[in-house]
């Protein structure tokens, strides 16, 4: 086996005019009997090497290729124009389409970024033919160099051809979902703490995480049906029994991921409801406190008003008899003063009893 090539990583060939078109070819290899026999430096060289070795398989990795380069690959490998168009446009949903003897698979890889606490999605297009595998990446993820190293370290598996490479890619993408699930679980736990801690920023984070979970669900949910279809069609396309077992294992992992993602979505909906309930309870408690304060203030106002009315009665009587008119019979009456005092006391007592009965005092 020849020394391993550099990891499948390249700058966008469309980023600068000085870069050559073939720089989007990040790794080329031709395999025969499970071993790498050639590492061509360009797409035409890889095709020529493949054609010169009967029974060989080419595995070509492209990173953000231009339209011309994909057109050359389509012409050499007989790729369907609709599949090539999807690979150029990108932003496709996960799917698997068969055009003659070529299978076109779209996968959405995902990785969890710890620092911003968000999920980043990548897109991978895979063309699988009788003697070739062509991968087209539009993002850094997934890292196919690890897949290639794994396959080259297992010649028995690589010997099974393009279907084995497709399995390894599917397995890498699905395994890459595990850290994302763990990261989302941690985010959900943190949100629960925020909600019950009364953090006002919790609803915004719930909505942001819900969008990520929905996007993750869109990336993972089609995989289950896709893998079931691959497994069902395995006998028709002569897929080895052992490889079918591997595909079933990947399918089990995909089912687990989709179930967890569905659970996350339900949990976030429940947390949002709980948050709304807690906010409503807090608002109700605040309204209760305001109402109690308003009632207490009203009681104080009633007491002040009652005492003001009681004190107003003697003031009124005293004011009348303090007007200094000459013709006021009570001024010269022997019992005028005691009468005025008793009148004041009687009025005050009557008002006190009235206010007391009405709970103003």
């Amino acid at each position: 086996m020849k020394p391993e090539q550099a990891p499948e990583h390249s700058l966008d060939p469309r980023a600068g005019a000085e870069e050559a078109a073939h720089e989007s070819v990040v790794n080329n290899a031709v395999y025969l009997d499970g071993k790498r026999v050639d590492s061509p430096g360009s797409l035409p060289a890889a095709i020529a090497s493949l054609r010169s070795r009967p029974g060989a398989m080419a595995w070509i990795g492209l990173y953000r290729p231009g339209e011309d380069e994909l057109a050359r690959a389509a012409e050499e490998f007989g790729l369907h124009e609709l599949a090539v168009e999807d690979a150029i446009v990108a932003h496709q949903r996960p799917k698997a389409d068969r055009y003659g003897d070529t299978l076109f698979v779209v996968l959405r890889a995902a990785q969890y970024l710890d620092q911003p606490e968000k999920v980043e999605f990548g897109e991978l297009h895979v063309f699988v033919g009788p003697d070739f595998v062509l991968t087209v990446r539009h993002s850094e993820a997934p890292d196919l160099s690890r897949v290639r190293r794994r396959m080259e370290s297992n010649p028995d598996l690589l010997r099974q051809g393009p279907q084995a490479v497709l399995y390894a890619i599917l397995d890498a993408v699905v395994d890459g979902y595990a850290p994302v699930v763990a990261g989302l679980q941690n985010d959900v736990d943190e949100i629960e703490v925020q909600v019950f801690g009364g953090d006002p920023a919790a609803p915004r984070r719930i909505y942001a995480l819900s969008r990520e979970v929905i996007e993750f669900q869109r990336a993972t949910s089609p995989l289950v049906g896709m893998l079931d279809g691959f497994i069902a069609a395995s006998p028709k396309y002569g897929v080895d029994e052992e490889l079918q077992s591997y595909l079933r294992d990947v399918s089990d992992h995909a089912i687990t991921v989709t179930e967890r993602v569905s659970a996350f979505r339900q949990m976030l909906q429940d947390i949002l409801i709980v948050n709304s309930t807690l906010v409503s309870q807090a608002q109700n408690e605040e309204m209760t406190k305001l109402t109690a304060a308003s009632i207490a203030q009203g009681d104080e106002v009633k007491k002040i008003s009652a005492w003001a009315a009681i004190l107003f009665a003697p003031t009124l009587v005293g004011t009348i008899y303090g007007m200094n008119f000459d013709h006021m019979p009570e001024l010269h009456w022997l019992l005028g003063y005691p009468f005025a005092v008793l009148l004041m006391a009687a009025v005050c007592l009557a008002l006190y009893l009235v206010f007391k009965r009405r709970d103003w005092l």
Side-chain angles (χ1 to χ4, degrees), residues 167-199:
Y167 148 73
I169 294 173
L170 289 167
D171 187 47
V173 171
V174 173
D175 285 347
Y177 292 150
V180 179
V181 171
L184 291 176
Q185 179 66 67
N186 184 67
D187 288 345
V188 171
D189 294 340
E190 289 180 355
I191 286 177
E192 288 180 340
V193 174
Q194 283 184 274
V195 168
F196 289 104
D199 189 344

Side-chain angles (χ1 to χ4, degrees), residues 138-184:
H138 292 277
S139 61
E140 296 296 327
D143 183 7
L144 294 182
S145 62
R146 296 181 180 180
V147 180
R148 194 182 290 268
R149 286 195 297 270
R150 174 194 173 189
M151 293 297 291
E152 290 180 350
S153 66
N154 189 352
D156 291 337
L157 182 60
L158 188 57
R159 191 178 292 117
Q160 298 184 35
Q163 294 292 338
V165 175
L166 175 60
Y167 148 73
I169 294 173
L170 289 167
D171 187 47
V173 171
V174 173
D175 285 347
Y177 292 150
V180 179
V181 171
L184 291 176

Side-chain angles (χ1 to χ4, degrees), residues 86-87 90 92 104-107 123-127 134-136 138:
D86 287 345
Q92 304 292 321
F104 175 60
V105 180
V106 179
L107 301 172
E123 190 166 335
L124 173 64
H125 298 186
V126 185
F127 295 88
L134 176 66
T135 59
V136 180
H138 292 277

